[in-house]
Amino acid sequence: MPDENPRPAQEPPAAGQPTTATADPAPDHGDGPQRPRRKFTFPSALTVLVVVTLAVWLLAFFIPSGTYDRDGDGTPQQGTYHRTPSGQSFTDRLNDLFLSPVNGLYGVQDTKTGQVGPTLAGELYGSAGVFLFVLAIGAFITVVFSTGALDRGIGRLAHRLRHRGALLIAGVMAVFSLLGTVEGFAEETLGFYGLVVPLMLALGYDRMVATATIILGAGIGVLCSTVNPFATGVASSAADISLGDGIALRVVMWLVLTAVTIGYVVRYARRVRADPDRSLVGFLPGDRDRARAADDAAEPPPLTGLHKTVLVTVALVFAFMIFSVIPWAGALTGDADAAPYSFELGWSFPQLAALFVTASILVGIIARMGEQKLSSTFVQGVAEFISPALVIVLARGVTTIMNNSRITDTVLHAVEGAVSGTPSALFGIMVYVVNLPLAFLIPSTSGHATLAMPILAPLADFAHVSRAVVVTAWQAASGWMNLWVPTTAVIMGGVSLAKVGYDKYLRFVWPLLALLAVLICGFVGLGAAMT
């Protein structure tokens, strides 16, 4: 779930292959020890955002300051941009740079001047609510995984469907996609190669089928995130809309794209099974012998009553989260300004953070962890998710620098002309295309959302398009890139574990990527046109 896209430090052993602790020594040419070549490693999301912070701070000296007139809701009014002096001295700017992480967490925006600072009076500008929400859901997910219920449930599903190959592929991909769309299931898939690769080989498929089942199953879910807190949640918060806004479009998009992706993988799998020579990766020694072991495969232990209770609890928690954030009146009537129904909760990140803290404790009690184990697991989960939480804070800190130097509206004005008079459908597609290179340059989903949304969301207002469409187009661009970019552990770690060449994976996936891009443009274009 953490979305910094951690880079694999070393190539993991291939699934089903013996691990080795030694490496071939460097050749000795008789002229002393050879220094190993230093391999380039793409910087982490935190490092990228530090560089971005410094770059934006420097650019603020050269970009003219200006503002839009705003209505009572704070929405900029198209055509009202005008130059205004920032009134900042060099010392003020230096102080903004120094305090940017602090302001990104709990900076307060003065209601009169619009300046952001930790000691001002006004509305919270920092991302403290999202920060705590990420830590809370991180603790919840870690507690759930520690029970072993999810791993055992997926293992039993795979074993039961082991003689029905197409159904097995569809079932595993559907589960991974569901987990991806609701809670950003991605890096966790690396633990399933040891189970899925031998199983697919036993059914007569190749290693590419196993790789695609795992990577594309979870990846398409993240691409079509419905309530994924690390994508949709952060972006919705930055766009100043509800997490439930636009969920109908995202659900339909998720269903269609998941079905298309499953069909693509099943089609290739059937082709390989019918004619092994058509495999893109071939077969390693012993791969073709695994089919004889299918009937002898040990059945995973059954789900205990405790495991079933944990899985039901997890499902209920996420279902309640979805219910609590959806603006039901607007969703059912089609009127965004409709008065909310009496049963609507209208929850946001503070309430959701409390929900997942409570749910973590509840799962711990159900699993009979005991006070010490529950406490340590909870803290471990918070620690593992501190990195994506800090990414959000740093990204928000960049926007405080832009806000205080009054260049945010100038940047917005610079692209206002690009959307003025643009058909709504074309605007949605433009947002998707523009975010493709940004998704590569800013590898963190949360960081990308926090940086881009303050600019993209007001553009939607100018184009008379729902901000929810912008969120959907943005997350689709980020998810599409993360299906193939070689800078993530999900991709490079996955192909290494399955012993599939990255070049072969690209050859396999590029037709699907092209098809998905067309479908995404169709969905965001239609969604924009309908608003």
Side-chain angles (χ1 to χ4, degrees), residues 145 148-161 168 171-177 179 183 185 188-189 191-192 195-196 199 213-214 300-301 303 311:
F145 268 96
L150 190 59
D151 291 352
R152 186 171 294 187
I154 294 175
R156 287 193 61 79
L157 172 67
H159 183 80
R160 287 195 172 190
L161 299 178
L168 172 63
V172 173
M173 291 185 71
V175 170
F176 281 1
S177 181
L179 293 172
E183 49 98 340
F185 191 78
E188 294 78 7
T189 59
F192 289 94
L195 168 68
V196 175
L199 193 56
T213 298
I214 297 174
L303 287 172
L311 291 177

Side-chain angles (χ1 to χ4, degrees), residues 192-278:
F192 289 94
Y193 282 87
L195 168 68
V196 175
V197 171
L199 193 56
M200 292 300 176
L201 291 174
L203 293 173
Y205 303 127
D206 64 4
R207 292 171 179 265
M208 184 65 77
V209 174
T211 305
T213 298
I214 297 174
I215 292 180
L216 298 180
I220 200 66
V222 175
L223 186 156
C224 302
S225 294
T226 50
V227 290
N228 173 9
F230 306 102
T232 315
V234 175
S236 297
S237 174
D240 198 25
I241 61 174
S242 165
L243 180 61
D245 286 343
I247 194 171
L249 173 65
R250 294 196 294 268
V251 168
V252 174
M253 184 173 167
W254 171 64
L255 291 172
V256 173
L257 267 62
T258 298
V260 168
T261 304
I262 290 174
Y264 183 84
V265 176
V266 168
R267 178 175 176 270
Y268 171 83
R270 285 175 171 168
R271 188 174 64 193
V272 169
R273 191 174 190 180
D275 183 3
D277 291 336
R278 301 186 70 179

Side-chain angles (χ1 to χ4, degrees), residues 395-410:
R396 190 60 170 171
V398 175
T399 65
T400 65
I401 293 175
M402 297 177 65
N403 176 84
N404 288 354
S405 58
R406 298 189 178 181
I407 65 170
T408 302
D409 284 1
T410 302

Side-chain angles (χ1 to χ4, degrees), residues 215-216 436 440 479-488 491-492 502 505-506 509 513:
I215 292 180
L216 298 180
L436 291 175
F440 183 85
W480 187 87
M481 291 293 290
N482 284 329
L483 290 177
W484 66 272
V485 290
T487 55
T488 71
I491 300 297
M492 300 311 290
Y502 176 65
Y505 173 74
L506 288 182
V509 82
L513 292 174

Side-chain angles (χ1 to χ4, degrees), residues 316-366:
L316 290 176
V317 168
F318 278 105
F320 183 76
M321 180 188 76
I322 295 171
F323 169 80
S324 70
V325 300
I326 292 179
W328 290 101
L332 297 178
T333 65
D335 181 7
D337 298 323
Y341 296 137
S342 58
F343 62 82
E344 287 187 36
L345 296 179
W347 279 14
S348 187
F349 291 101
Q351 294 88 350
L352 293 177
L355 169 66
F356 282 104
V357 169
T358 304
S360 302
I361 298 172
L362 178 61
V363 170
I365 293 174
I366 291 173

